[in-house]
Amino acid sequence: MKIVIGNDHAGPKLKNQLIEYMESLGHEVDDFGIGIGEKIDYPIMGEKVGRAVAEGKYDCGVLICGTGVGISIAANKVPGVRAAVCSDVTTARLAKEHNGANIIAFGERIVGIETAKDIVNAYLSAVTEDGRHADRRAMFAKIEEKYGAKL
Ligand code: RB5
């Protein structure tokens, strides 16, 4: 898969470890994030990665900040983005199967690398389901339309 990853200043260590892990699985990873010692506000990074995913340039995205919350909220402001903060494998799998999450978000202050690897693996291996879940996902787009949000 072609994956984009980004982080703020609270997430560079986990970001580096996850890039190494995903590349070892054979994925192509583009790093939009910052390195150790650099600083960026998480809304800027969330929007940047969110936009790249919403434009269809990547199969999915990975975002990391201190908790995963701020950066996922920012990404979710981009129409078409469905970013899910995950701290366990079940949420990661269901976020992809049911919600069609196209970005997975982590908190470097919340999950360790071994858990994060398991979460990434569960997310990347899961397949988005059709049927009632597709109907519900279509309702996301309806909400965006209702408030005039478009890419
Ligand atoms: C940055 O210190 C921190 O607030 C940020 O990474 C994140 O946790 C916000 O949700």
Side-chain angles (χ1 to χ4, degrees):
M1 281 187 203
K2 201 170 169 211
I3 300 167
V4 57
I5 194 166
N7 62 288
D8 76 351
H9 45 272
K13 261 179 79 175
L14 186 62
K15 190 270 304 279
N16 290 341
Q17 290 169 313
L18 285 180
I19 290 174
E20 199 180 318
Y21 177 64
M22 291 190 287
E23 287 180 343
S24 79
L25 295 177
H27 300 291
E28 187 186 326
V29 186
D30 277 357
D31 182 8
F32 283 13
I34 57 166
I36 293 168
E38 295 181 298
K39 250 186 178 307
I40 191 165
D41 292 321
Y42 58 81
I44 295 170
M45 186 58 63
E47 184 193 356
K48 192 174 173 188
V49 168
R51 190 178 177 106
V53 171
E55 286 175 343
K57 294 179 176 154
Y58 294 92
D59 295 304
C60 61
V62 178
L63 284 171
I64 304 151
C65 66
T67 59
V69 173
I71 206 158
S72 64
I73 290 174
N76 277 319
K77 298 293 179 194
V78 179
V81 168
R82 295 182 297 273
V85 186
C86 295
S87 304
D88 66 275
V89 294
T90 309
T91 303
R93 176 176 61 78
L94 291 172
K96 180 86 161 289
E97 289 178 353
H98 293 187
N99 315 118
N102 49 15
I103 293 183
I104 189 169
F106 291 99
E108 185 183 291
R109 295 172 184 160
I110 309 298
V111 294
I113 181 59
E114 292 309 319
T115 304
K117 285 199 266 188
D118 289 346
I119 290 171
V120 163
N121 211 6
Y123 171 75
L124 294 178
S125 313
V127 175
T128 301
E129 294 174 9
D130 292 329
R132 68 186 192 284
H133 298 300
D135 296 342
R136 290 169 186 154
R137 289 193 301 274
M139 294 165 82
F140 292 147
K142 289 272 172 226
I143 296 170
E144 288 172 351
E145 272 169 38
K146 186 170 162 185
Y147 292 96
K150 53 175 186 269
L151 192 62

